[in-house]
Amino acid sequence: MDNTIIHRIIPILRRLIKKWQPPWVEEVASKTGDPFKVLISCLLSLRTQDRTTGMANKRLFSIASSTEEMKDIPLEAIEKAIYPVGFYRIKAKRIKELSRELVEKYSSKVPDAMDGLLKLKGVGRKTANLVLTLGYGKYGICVDTHVHRITNRWGYVKTKRPEETEFALREKLPKKYWKEINGLLVVFGQNVCKPLSPLCSTCPIRVYCKRVGVKRYR
């Protein structure tokens, strides 16, 4: 698959996903424009369903909405607010430590560059790219399991790990699509191009897809 096909696929995906709920992190970004809330939402969303993440976000931000407030909340209160997100005890501790770090080392401002974000404990490239794109409107390519799986399934890239996929996409994907590719493919991957038995028979872009690694589909 080359970029002449990508230019056809992206508009189709934009129209298609309008019928479904956008990822919760995108909702947080659009409603608040707050890089700190985007960062915390990203951390909560790891290995957790969007609905659970959304409810946990609302509870947590109702008791603390800034780094200064968050660092002073008892750990048990954070745990209670974010339960039952995956690994909620570990995430609660990380949120508290991260808030303190931002206050003490960064004057409460979330770094707006990749290098700075990766220095924060518990922040990897996926989260850093989401903060850059959704929190600051900067260019980045967030690659989660959906982006990794689907771009390989299309035959657009040929990689083994999400981090490899990010750098392959940086080389190949037109820059104007960088900021939106994650949001498009997360929704598409949750509802159509599923990990097991994707819905190929009803997929509007099936004619372009090489179905790499697909052994069974509906």
Side-chain angles (χ1 to χ4, degrees):
M1 180 184 288
D2 59 27
N3 283 328
T4 60
I5 303 300
I6 287 296
H7 291 311
R8 297 174 191 172
I9 284 177
I10 296 297
I12 295 172
L13 291 177
R14 287 174 182 155
R15 293 192 297 270
L16 178 66
I17 70 167
K18 288 180 180 179
K19 66 175 75 173
W20 294 299
Q21 192 78 10
W24 177 256
V25 177
E26 290 198 4
E27 285 200 32
V28 170
S30 64
K31 290 178 179 178
T32 71
D34 185 340
F36 174 65
K37 290 185 177 180
V38 171
L39 174 58
I40 298 303
S41 298
C42 289
L43 294 177
L44 290 177
S45 70
L46 299 175
R47 299 187 184 183
T48 303
Q49 292 185 348
D50 237 28
R51 178 178 173 81
T52 303
T53 299
M55 295 177 69
N57 267 276
K58 290 177 181 178
R59 291 191 298 269
L60 180 61
F61 293 143
S62 71
I63 59 175
S65 60
S66 68
T67 51
E68 292 86 353
E69 292 175 343
M70 197 73 75
K71 75 177 180 62
D72 293 329
I73 293 179
L75 182 61
E76 295 76 11
I78 298 178
E79 291 178 351
K80 182 178 179 180
I82 68 174
Y83 179 84
V85 300
F87 305 98
Y88 72 96
R89 287 195 175 92
I90 294 174
K91 289 180 181 178
K93 184 178 180 181
R94 187 167 294 164
I95 288 169
K96 189 170 177 65
E97 291 174 347
L98 184 58
S99 299
R100 183 183 299 114
E101 183 179 7
L102 288 171
V103 170
E104 295 176 354
K105 296 183 179 180
Y106 297 90
S107 300
S108 298
K109 184 179 184 297
V110 176
D112 61 356
M114 178 66 74
D115 289 347
L117 286 163
L118 292 179
K119 290 178 182 177
L120 299 174
K121 186 176 180 180
V123 175
R125 293 193 65 88
K126 172 188 170 183
T127 296
N129 273 301
L130 273 180
V131 172
L132 289 176
T133 57
L134 298 181
Y136 286 109
K138 294 188 173 185
Y139 284 103
I141 300 179
C142 175
V143 175
D144 68 349
T145 57
H146 294 291
V147 177
H148 173 63
R149 178 182 74 255
I150 295 169
T151 53
N152 273 275
R153 185 174 281 174
W154 285 346
Y156 187 63
V157 299
K158 187 177 181 180
T159 55
K160 294 182 178 180
R161 298 182 296 110
E163 188 166 310
E164 293 176 11
T165 302
E166 179 196 336
F167 289 106
L169 290 175
R170 283 178 178 271
E171 291 291 325
K172 188 174 183 180
L173 184 69
K175 201 165 186 177
K176 64 181 180 178
Y177 301 135
W178 285 20
K179 297 178 185 179
E180 65 178 322
I181 192 68
N182 180 263
L184 290 173
L185 295 191
V186 166
V187 178
F188 181 60
Q190 289 172 341
N191 295 281
V192 180
C193 199
K194 299 183 179 186
L196 301 174
S197 190
L199 307 179
C200 298
S201 62
T202 59
C203 177
I205 62 173
R206 62 187 179 277
V207 66
Y208 304 117
C209 181
K210 293 184 178 180
R211 299 184 192 174
V212 176
V214 176
K215 297 180 180 179
R216 183 167 61 92
Y217 60 89
R218 290 173 281 169

